[in-house]
């Protein structure tokens, strides 16, 4: 019963995102997008309400920290535009590796903490569920782009 309700919620949210995607002048509301992600992941991993209460604060903190590190990588990549000396390139490579190591440490810590909340099997499936959600959004955007051309 819970899975059916979650499926319906995910379906309704995805339909509303599809509707928003049909209006190119408007970008999807970030809150609605995150609500869709929560519903999708919750459904895909079969996260119970008790698990969700503990899981989502941990996930949100992890995701915020991850996004901060990804922004740093983006800034490093942006600083490399144009002519780049070998010395500067070496420095940027070292900085990028350092941040990538921080990302790995963050993920290891996160997975260690959530496996006390959700099962290891659910934790293992999390990254795949995230990719699938992103892929569906991309496909919806591509379909919208195909109609506009």
């Amino acid at each position: 019963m819970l899975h059916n309700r979650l499926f319906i919620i995910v379906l309704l949210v995805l339909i509303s995102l599809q509707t928003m995607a049909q209006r190119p002048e408007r970008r999807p509301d970030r809150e609605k997008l995150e609500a869709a992600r929560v519903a999708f992941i919750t459904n895909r991993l079969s996260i119970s309400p008790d698990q969700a209460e503990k899981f989502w604060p941990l996930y949100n903190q992890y995701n915020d920290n991850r996004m901060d590190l990804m922004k740093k990588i983006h800034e490093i990549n942006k600083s490399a535009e144009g002519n780049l000396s070998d010395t500067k390139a070496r420095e940027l490579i070292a900085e990028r590796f350092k941040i990538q190591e921080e990302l790995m440490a963050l993920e290891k810590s996160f997975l260690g903490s959530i496996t006390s909340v959700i099962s290891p099997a659910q934790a293992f499936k999390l990254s795949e569920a995230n990719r699938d959600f992103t892929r569906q959004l991309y496909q919806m955007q591509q379909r919208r782009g195909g109609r506009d051309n």
Side-chain angles (χ1 to χ4, degrees), residues 5-16:
R5 283 189 291 172
L6 287 173
F7 178 75
I8 290 170
I9 291 169
V10 169
L11 186 61
L12 290 174
V13 171
L14 289 174
I15 288 170
S16 69

Side-chain angles (χ1 to χ4, degrees), residues 4-147:
N4 289 341
R5 283 189 291 172
L6 287 173
F7 178 75
I8 290 170
I9 291 169
V10 169
L11 186 61
L12 290 174
V13 171
L14 289 174
I15 288 170
S16 69
L17 287 174
Q18 177 67 31
T19 302
M20 287 187 299
Q22 292 175 4
R23 293 177 278 162
E25 71 280 357
R26 298 188 66 187
R27 299 193 74 171
D29 183 352
R30 186 157 187 77
E31 288 181 19
K32 288 181 182 177
L33 187 61
E34 285 309 308
R37 181 183 304 278
V38 167
F40 185 89
I41 291 172
T42 299
N43 186 49
R44 177 65 66 92
L45 301 182
S46 301
I47 296 175
S48 72
D50 290 338
Q51 288 175 317
E53 186 178 329
K54 297 171 189 161
F55 170 79
W56 286 109
L58 293 172
Y59 177 85
N60 291 335
Q61 182 62 52
Y62 158 76
N63 200 45
D64 289 347
N65 293 340
R66 185 180 166 282
M67 292 308 294
D68 289 343
L69 291 171
M70 294 303 291
K71 284 178 189 174
K72 288 180 182 181
I73 289 175
H74 178 72
E75 290 167 8
I76 289 170
N77 292 339
K78 288 283 278 184
S79 71
E81 291 177 355
N83 291 333
L84 189 62
S85 70
D86 288 347
T87 303
K88 183 65 175 175
R90 283 186 191 97
E91 290 173 12
L92 294 175
I93 289 168
E95 285 181 50
R96 194 167 51 198
F97 276 136
K98 182 178 178 262
I99 295 168
Q100 288 172 333
E101 288 170 353
E102 290 176 40
L103 279 165
M104 180 62 74
L106 177 65
E107 185 169 358
K108 285 175 85 172
S109 173
F110 170 66
L111 287 173
S113 66
I114 64 166
T115 53
S116 66
V117 175
I118 62 175
S119 74
Q122 288 171 306
F124 183 79
K125 293 177 184 177
L126 178 59
S127 62
E128 182 182 354
N130 264 317
R131 277 191 305 277
D132 289 348
F133 178 77
T134 302
R135 189 176 298 121
Q136 283 190 6
L137 288 178
Y138 179 75
Q139 288 172 348
M140 286 185 342
Q141 185 180 35
Q142 291 300 98
R143 284 191 295 261
R144 182 200 73 196
R147 283 194 302 272

